[in-house]
Amino acid sequence: MKSILPSVKGTLKINKIALRSAIISTIKSSNRYFSNNLITLQNDSTTNKVSTISLDIKPEFYQGMSAAPFDKEVSDVLLAPIDTSDIEVLPDGILYLPEIKYRRILNKAFGPGGWCLVPRGDYIVENGTLIQSYALYCLGRFVAQAYGEQQFDEQGYKSLGSTLEGCKSNALMRCCKDIGIASELWDPVFINSYMKANVVSVWCEHHKTKVQKKLFRRKDREIGYPYVEKTVATSNTAPTPGSTKQESKQQQDSKRPETKPEPATKENANSFSFDPEGELQFGKFKGKKFQAIKDTPEFSSWLDYLTRLNINPNFVEQVRKHLNK
């Protein structure tokens, strides 16, 4: 697999033999970053020490990298404030710009055919998430590189081709951050201002399971199937990406519809117990050993997701107490 490292051909000096096994096992087992032919280890037979590690990476992959800024007329297009009417909001309260908007901005700045997104190596699937690296080139110059990711279930309704296309769009969005497109969507001040002016949070009931969740939508939008809106919550602010600050349980309870309490279903707060030595009983990590996944970024993100949507709060509370011991 081709490397995604920067365009460098150099030599790293190492004087401690204790590092040899760690270096070899880390580098050669990381297929996502290295090919077996990329790394050359040179051993000094007289001292039994690793003297050099040579990294031979093809420079043409990164041609024109940071050679010069783009012309002013191009920069003005890339850095222009985004139209707030183009911004959408996910049910969990995260703001985003549809991927077609990024493509239109790139076409306006460089012209159709003046930019391209190139895959770097094959895709991989980890814990139900398809991941692939892409590089963005504009006017023949390397501009940015990022991983795209997309949820993938081989038994689900979405095909591999559709999943790869979604992964590509996600990588494009991340690459565009490096050239300033839609940078407002990572600015907490802009996010809070937009949320207060344009977004509401609503209590919704699942059409089939009757489970109630607090979801977010634009004021001029409606929550679609399978959820039905029940009550508009008083707060219309959402956490910025990665935030773990949540309302207290008392505040959340005060905003629930008084006429229809949340039923005890499989998604309810009290449905699942937590066993730190056993397997998880629901969600994306169902059947996984807790001890094997507790320290992974994916598990931490999943806990944040459950917290934001008030899914199984008793379970989440038990897990967080265990992790904070």
Side-chain angles (χ1 to χ4, degrees), residues 4-296:
I4 59 167
L5 287 176
S7 173
V8 188
K9 183 175 183 180
T11 299
L12 177 64
K13 301 294 184 180
I14 297 180
N15 294 318
K16 295 184 177 180
I17 189 58
L19 293 178
R20 178 182 174 86
S21 60
I23 294 171
I24 296 175
S25 61
T26 300
I27 293 178
K28 289 197 172 183
S29 65
S30 300
N31 291 331
R32 191 191 309 174
Y33 298 98
F34 300 96
S35 68
N36 288 334
N37 296 327
L38 180 63
I39 306 301
T40 301
L41 300 178
Q42 299 176 4
N43 184 59
D44 188 338
S45 58
T46 58
T47 60
N48 198 30
K49 293 182 179 180
V50 178
S51 57
T52 62
I53 296 180
S54 298
L55 304 180
D56 189 4
I57 303 168
K58 296 181 179 180
E60 60 267 24
F61 289 165
Y62 300 90
Q63 183 174 354
M65 180 173 61
S66 69
F70 289 116
D71 294 339
K72 185 179 185 303
E73 54 268 27
V74 172
S75 297
D76 288 345
V77 174
L78 300 176
L79 301 178
I82 56 177
D83 186 345
T84 55
S85 65
D86 290 337
I87 299 174
E88 301 292 342
V89 58
L90 292 173
D92 60 2
I94 302 299
L95 303 182
Y96 73 98
L97 196 65
E99 54 85 19
I100 191 62
K101 304 294 183 180
Y102 290 97
R103 285 177 163 84
R104 289 174 180 172
I105 293 172
L106 290 170
N107 283 334
K108 184 177 180 180
F110 303 107
W115 65 275
C116 65
L117 196 65
V118 181
R120 287 290 176 83
D122 297 329
Y123 69 86
I124 62 172
V125 178
E126 291 184 351
N127 297 323
T129 300
L130 185 145
I131 304 171
Q132 189 167 18
S133 177
Y134 284 86
L136 176 64
Y137 291 84
C138 300
L139 303 181
R141 293 168 48 186
F142 172 86
V143 171
Q145 185 165 309
Y147 281 111
E149 57 183 342
Q150 192 80 358
Q151 293 299 309
F152 178 55
D153 180 4
E154 293 183 4
Q155 308 302 322
Y157 69 92
K158 185 182 289 188
S159 68
L160 175 60
S162 297
T163 305
L164 286 169
E165 186 67 17
C167 179
K168 177 182 177 182
S169 296
N170 182 246
L172 176 64
M173 176 270 293
R174 293 176 173 179
C175 284
C176 285
K177 285 195 299 182
D178 286 358
I179 50 178
I181 297 178
S183 60
E184 297 95 323
L185 299 183
W186 283 266
D187 182 349
V189 175
F190 176 86
I191 292 172
N192 290 332
S193 175
Y194 182 89
M195 294 291 293
K196 291 178 181 178
N198 301 283
V199 178
V200 293
S201 56
V202 294
W203 282 105
C204 300
E205 182 179 271
H206 194 280
H207 177 71
K208 293 183 177 180
T209 66
K210 305 305 179 183
V211 173
Q212 293 181 2
K213 296 180 181 180
K214 187 173 76 170
L215 305 178
F216 294 84
R217 63 165 173 82
R218 278 175 36 165
K219 291 181 178 179
D220 59 346
R221 297 279 198 271
E222 293 182 356
I223 297 292
Y225 184 86
Y227 286 97
V228 178
E229 292 187 25
K230 307 301 289 186
T231 303
V232 178
T234 57
S235 172
N236 62 349
T237 57
T240 56
S243 173
T244 58
K245 294 182 179 179
Q246 303 294 325
E247 297 169 317
S248 66
K249 187 176 186 301
Q250 181 179 4
Q251 289 174 317
Q252 292 176 355
D253 290 342
S254 68
K255 296 175 183 179
R256 290 182 178 272
E258 297 181 359
T259 58
K260 191 154 189 151
E262 184 176 1
T265 65
K266 66 178 183 178
E267 296 290 340
N268 199 302
N270 300 316
S271 297
F272 296 102
S273 60
F274 169 62
D275 179 8
E277 301 301 327
E279 298 177 348
L280 297 186
Q281 304 173 32
F282 73 102
K284 65 183 293 186
F285 294 103
K286 183 177 180 179
K288 301 281 187 179
K289 287 283 189 179
F290 172 74
Q291 295 296 331
I293 63 171
K294 65 177 183 178
D295 296 323
T296 64

